[in-house]
Amino acid sequence: MVKNMREYPLEKIRNIGFVAHIDAGKTTTTERVLYYTGKIYKIGEVDEGTATMDWMPQEKERGITITSAATYCVWKDYQINIIDTPGHVDFTIEVERSLRVLDGCVVIFDAANGVEPQSETVWFQANRYKVPRIVFVNKMDRVGADFFDTVQQIVKKLNTVALVVQLPMGSAETFSGIIDILNMKSYIWEDEEGKKFRSVDIPQEYLTVSIEYRKKLIETLADFDDNIATIYLSGKEPEINELKMVIRRLTKEFKIVPVFCGSALKNRGIQLLLDGICDYLPAPNEINLIVTEPETNQQKNLEISPEGSLCAFVFKTQVDKYFGKMLFTRIYSGKISVNDIVYNPRTTKTERVGRIVRIHAEQKQDISEAFCGDIVGLVGLKNFATGDTICNKKSPVTVEKIHIPEPVIWEKIEPKTKSDEEKFVYAIHNLLEEDPTLRFKINPETGEKIIAGMGELHLEIITDRLQREYGILTRVGKPQVSYREYFTKKVTEETKYVKQTGGKGQYAHVVLQFNPLARNSGVVFVNKISGGKIPKEYIPAIEDGVREALECGPLGGYPVTDIEVVLIDGSYHEVDSSEIAFKTAAEIATKNAAKKAEVILLEPIMKVEVMTHDEYLGEVLSDFSSRRGKIVSMEVKGHIYHIRANVPLAEMFGYATVLRSLTQGRASYTMEPSHYEEVPKHILEQLGYLPLPH
């Protein structure tokens, strides 16, 4: 075991992630970072299935990242903890939970495709968690690469101030180097592996544009910083270190986003990107983390310090049949040592830490302690799960939980042999612990097992893992859309549940108000009971009853969403009232209210982008029309059309095969959930759901 004495001061640590649209080059960039920092000695390639961070068999075969992988490396005198995330929308939870614990991130864009749909999604996820970021415009060697157009798209589509700190020398086959406009130097790489490069004067043909962009850079900084403005207006040149300090501050304040460029595949620009990560992204003690004190429900800023009280956050769970349950944990303050007793505010239980490991992809190294700013694996904690806070019992706090998107697709699943039933239950339990977007339930009427997830690929990977990791062959049904039900009318429902059976009876009385909410509001429960009409200990049972009843709507048995349920009145009996009585009363009230609420069915609408040659444009548009699709925008770059449309998920099954046929395999598409809309009446009738009588 290694005794992990803190080698680097807190200000020399960077916790960063690489996020992007699928196939923009995240894993390739991570691989080069590990190579140039000496963490690995041979560059692996995604397409060959040899990338260090894509260690799962499914990732190696498909050439995509499925699960976020953690590692660490050293660049100059900085320790960089890295999380490489998936780009495919089916695994968006991996991006969500990674951004939740990162202090900064590198957003990677494909120079030939600019800002793609999933790029926008990860950008707004980073906004949600207030993560400072820098941009890396990748694939400058690719045909059609356009650095300046990509920068314009970043400004326009992402509504941000893009501060260009580097310029490419050429593009596609003419891409020969990178210009640093802060130092006004150009960098030329001298070997295929990208290890040797030299600094030279900017070639004459790039001098004018370099001067222009340096002027733009200083003017942009002057808009935000009075000192730079004073120096600039006096006709002097600001010091480079002063410019860097201002860029760093404005990046941390979300006012600007520095833009770098290069080609990860061709090993160009990664060392300069590493310098940018160290120069401009914040250290762990520079972030502002708001925590809640569970006893008072008061919020406060956490004091981030190695000597402070322990505060750590579990952002991911991994279950390994040999290694056991490991919690990926970010330590915000204090430290954790092996055999420490730690506290879980959610369960109000304490537990002993069995093992602490440093993580490098699938490799794990035992250490004796971990400190503020570290990202480590904790082993042996049975009563902790993803989203839990780890702290001291004497000073409990909780960190804001991760946003977990709802599943949009489901299918029936069962083990092929009866003998695998027990193994199946155990495996599903483990997979549910690992993946918060996965859902599993058994239909109480038919006994059918149902699994729900974020897309066809998501469920395909789950069944593949059941076979490979647990040796369970399964039968699966055809994927189905996960519809939602919605109350269109405000309803107040009063229910008295009274049962007398000779001995102790059951008594509960509740008055609930059901208010429709805006889309994406979820289910909100509000307690407005005062004066002790219902004792506090029965309120959670009422909420449980409401939520369970809303899981099965009256129209098609789908979950009810976007509703506020307010407990406004009620009464209890000192002897006969119980938690089960109040839960039952709440369930009955909810089901009765659903019959009066003029319920409608909602379907998931997908944001789809197709890239096709102009000769197939008519066929693609016509096909969208037949799928109830609405065209949102069309852009053309050369002979390639980028078509964005909103299309119901129900119409998109098997689309990959159809698109291949329509375009002779020359088009590609991406798809991600956008929002829910009411199902048209004629589709409702086709589905066999008739509106409830009003």
Side-chain angles (χ1 to χ4, degrees):
M1 181 187 291
V2 177
K3 183 170 174 57
N4 183 31
M5 297 301 291
R6 167 59 49 89
E7 295 175 57
Y8 297 89
L10 213 50
E11 56 273 12
K12 293 285 187 179
I13 292 175
R14 298 290 179 268
N15 288 312
I16 64 123
F18 293 104
V19 298
H21 186 91
I22 191 168
D23 204 30
K26 295 176 298 302
T27 303
T28 304
T29 304
T30 308
E31 197 74 14
R32 270 59 181 176
V33 164
L34 296 177
Y35 179 66
Y36 297 128
T37 57
K39 188 70 184 174
I40 59 175
Y41 300 99
K42 182 175 181 289
I43 298 176
E45 299 295 354
V46 174
D47 293 343
E48 295 168 10
T50 56
T52 307
M53 304 300 279
D54 284 352
W55 56 270
M56 289 175 68
Q58 294 89 343
E59 293 177 316
K60 291 178 184 293
E61 288 170 6
R62 289 171 169 81
I64 61 169
T65 303
I66 291 168
T67 182
S68 54
T71 187
Y72 62 96
C73 59
V74 174
W75 178 249
K76 296 181 178 175
D77 56 345
Y78 288 82
Q79 178 182 311
I80 305 175
N81 300 319
I82 300 170
I83 298 180
D84 177 36
T85 63
H88 199 289
V89 69
D90 283 20
F91 311 109
T92 190
I93 184 61
E94 298 291 339
V95 182
E96 285 278 351
R97 57 175 156 205
S98 300
L99 287 171
R100 181 67 195 78
V101 297
L102 293 174
D103 303 330
C105 69
V106 180
V107 186
I108 301 174
F109 295 93
D110 180 336
N113 289 325
V115 178
E116 299 172 275
Q118 190 66 11
S119 311
E120 292 181 40
T121 301
V122 296
W123 190 274
F124 295 126
Q125 284 173 314
N127 285 350
R128 180 188 295 138
Y129 294 113
K130 296 183 171 60
V131 181
R133 70 217 74 159
I134 61 179
V135 160
F136 181 58
V137 180
N138 191 23
K139 302 193 178 185
M140 282 308 306
D141 61 303
R142 190 176 165 189
V143 174
D146 190 332
F147 175 80
F148 300 100
D149 182 58
T150 300
V151 171
Q152 283 304 309
Q153 288 187 46
I154 291 168
V155 172
K156 185 179 168 186
K157 293 181 179 178
L158 304 177
N159 193 27
T160 192
V161 177
L163 187 80
V164 175
V165 296
Q166 289 180 353
L167 292 171
M169 292 163 60
S171 63
E173 67 277 357
T174 65
F175 176 57
S176 58
I178 292 168
I179 296 164
D180 179 341
I181 61 172
L182 274 175
N183 294 299
M184 288 299 278
K185 289 283 184 186
S186 64
Y187 294 90
I188 310 294
W189 275 260
E190 298 177 326
D191 65 334
E192 281 297 310
E193 287 191 336
K195 273 195 164 183
K196 295 179 183 174
F197 63 99
R198 57 193 168 92
S199 168
V200 297
D201 290 336
I202 297 170
Q204 196 64 37
E205 66 264 34
Y206 296 110
L207 199 53
T208 304
V209 71
S210 301
I211 292 168
E212 178 195 335
Y213 268 86
R214 194 170 200 278
K215 186 183 175 190
K216 275 186 187 177
L217 180 144
I218 295 171
E219 286 175 350
T220 302
L221 297 181
D223 288 341
F224 294 103
D225 188 271
D226 291 343
N227 194 38
I228 298 289
T230 303
I231 295 169
Y232 178 63
L233 291 171
S234 66
K236 296 176 184 173
E237 274 287 307
E239 294 284 331
I240 289 174
N241 281 343
E242 188 169 12
L243 290 172
K244 283 189 171 183
M245 282 171 58
V246 174
I247 293 171
R248 177 178 173 77
R249 177 174 63 79
L250 296 177
T251 302
K252 291 189 294 179
E253 292 173 358
F254 313 105
K255 290 177 178 169
I256 61 166
V257 178
V259 180
F260 295 75
C261 61
S263 167
L265 188 65
K266 298 292 184 185
N267 310 316
R268 304 287 185 263
I270 302 301
Q271 294 95 331
L272 304 180
L273 176 64
L274 279 163
D275 288 341
I277 288 167
C278 299
D279 287 342
Y280 304 132
L281 291 178
N285 58 348
E286 293 176 304
I287 63 165
N288 182 31
L289 183 70
I290 296 172
V291 294
T292 304
E293 295 176 330
E295 290 173 8
T296 61
N297 215 28
Q298 293 290 312
Q299 291 190 328
K300 65 175 185 180
N301 283 329
L302 181 72
E303 184 187 341
I304 294 173
S305 161
E307 291 77 38
S309 184
L310 173 64
C311 176
F313 183 73
V314 179
F315 65 96
K316 179 173 175 171
T317 304
Q318 192 176 80
V319 183
D320 186 287
K321 57 183 175 182
Y322 303 113
F323 203 77
K325 177 178 168 180
M326 183 173 76
L327 306 174
F328 284 67
T329 306
R330 162 69 195 269
I331 304 172
Y332 284 107
S333 186
K335 71 169 189 172
I336 297 180
S337 301
V338 172
N339 293 325
D340 275 359
I341 303 294
V342 294
Y343 179 68
N344 185 344
R346 177 179 62 86
T347 61
T348 66
K349 290 181 180 176
T350 56
E351 239 183 311
R352 187 183 299 277
V353 177
R355 289 172 75 184
I356 307 173
V357 296
R358 291 184 86 170
I359 308 159
H360 171 53
E362 84 273 36
Q363 299 169 21
K364 297 154 187 93
Q365 176 192 32
D366 278 283
I367 54 176
S368 61
E369 53 191 357
F371 297 87
C372 168
D374 285 343
I375 293 175
V376 294
L378 301 182
V379 183
L381 296 174
K382 293 184 175 65
N383 295 310
F384 284 81
T386 299
D388 282 345
T389 303
I390 300 173
C391 57
N392 296 323
K393 192 172 183 180
K394 288 181 181 175
S395 50
V397 290
T398 59
V399 177
E400 181 194 353
K401 291 202 181 304
I402 303 161
H403 170 75
I404 298 171
E406 287 295 313
V408 296
I409 190 173
W410 62 271
E411 64 187 16
K412 295 172 190 171
I413 187 169
E414 63 179 13
K416 279 190 175 177
T417 61
K418 285 285 180 191
S419 60
D420 278 343
E421 281 284 354
E422 203 171 310
K423 273 167 64 180
F424 178 80
V425 172
Y426 168 76
I428 286 290
H429 173 76
N430 286 349
L431 293 170
L432 289 170
E433 272 212 281
E434 288 189 5
D435 187 349
T437 58
L438 187 66
R439 302 283 194 279
F440 177 76
K441 67 177 182 179
I442 297 174
N443 187 318
E445 293 172 11
T446 63
E448 290 173 331
K449 299 173 181 69
I450 293 168
I451 194 166
M454 298 304 296
E456 289 179 271
L457 180 60
H458 185 197
L459 298 186
E460 186 186 316
I461 295 294
I462 293 298
T463 54
D464 191 42
R465 289 187 64 191
L466 284 169
Q467 181 179 341
R468 291 196 201 212
E469 294 173 32
Y470 299 95
I472 302 166
L473 291 170
T474 56
R475 275 191 292 266
V476 294
K478 187 181 169 188
Q480 305 288 324
V481 175
S482 184
Y483 293 98
R484 294 285 182 270
E485 299 189 24
Y486 180 70
F487 287 20
T488 61
K489 188 177 167 187
K490 182 176 174 179
V491 175
T492 301
E493 187 66 29
E494 181 174 4
T495 296
K496 274 188 180 177
Y497 177 66
V498 184
K499 204 169 182 182
Q500 205 65 42
T501 53
K504 184 185 172 185
Q506 295 284 357
Y507 178 90
H509 171 214
V510 295
V511 183
L512 296 168
Q513 191 179 80
F514 298 82
N515 304 316
L517 295 177
R519 295 283 187 268
N520 300 318
S521 301
V523 176
V524 180
F525 180 83
V526 180
N527 173 28
K528 286 196 176 174
I529 290 291
S530 58
K533 289 181 179 179
I534 299 175
K536 276 195 299 187
E537 60 265 30
Y538 296 141
I539 304 300
I542 295 170
E543 182 175 355
D544 286 347
V546 167
R547 289 187 181 276
E548 281 187 26
L550 290 174
E551 277 296 306
C552 188
L555 204 54
Y558 298 104
V560 176
T561 191
D562 303 333
I563 188 166
E564 178 189 60
V565 184
V566 186
L567 177 61
I568 56 174
D569 203 357
S571 62
Y572 76 105
H573 189 281
E574 286 187 0
V575 177
D576 290 348
S577 285
S578 65
E579 287 185 5
I580 193 71
F582 273 101
K583 184 178 179 183
T584 305
E587 285 179 355
I588 294 168
T590 304
K591 286 174 180 173
N592 288 342
K595 295 172 185 173
K596 306 170 186 173
E598 299 182 9
V599 177
I600 60 171
L601 199 66
L602 303 176
E603 63 178 341
I605 305 297
M606 309 303 284
K607 187 161 60 176
V608 183
E609 178 167 10
V610 172
M611 283 155 281
T612 181
H613 281 258
D614 49 11
E615 61 193 282
Y616 306 113
L617 180 64
E619 288 89 337
V620 171
L621 293 177
S622 175
D623 184 64
F624 267 146
S625 179
S626 71
R627 295 173 186 272
R628 298 192 280 132
K630 295 174 187 170
I631 305 300
V632 175
S633 67
M634 275 198 295
E635 293 174 17
V636 61
K637 292 181 184 177
H639 293 289
I640 304 295
Y641 273 86
H642 291 243
I643 308 158
R644 292 189 178 195
N646 290 333
V647 191
L649 174 61
E651 308 291 345
M652 289 301 292
F653 291 122
Y655 184 65
T657 307
V658 173
L659 185 65
R660 203 175 298 126
S661 170
L662 286 174
T663 63
Q664 298 179 12
R666 295 175 69 193
S668 62
Y669 83 103
T670 58
M671 179 171 75
E672 61 179 287
S674 174
H675 60 281
Y676 278 83
E677 283 183 10
E678 183 177 353
V679 177
K681 190 176 178 185
H682 70 281
I683 301 294
L684 203 63
E685 288 167 358
Q686 287 175 23
L687 292 169
Y689 301 126
L690 295 173
L692 291 172
H694 298 160

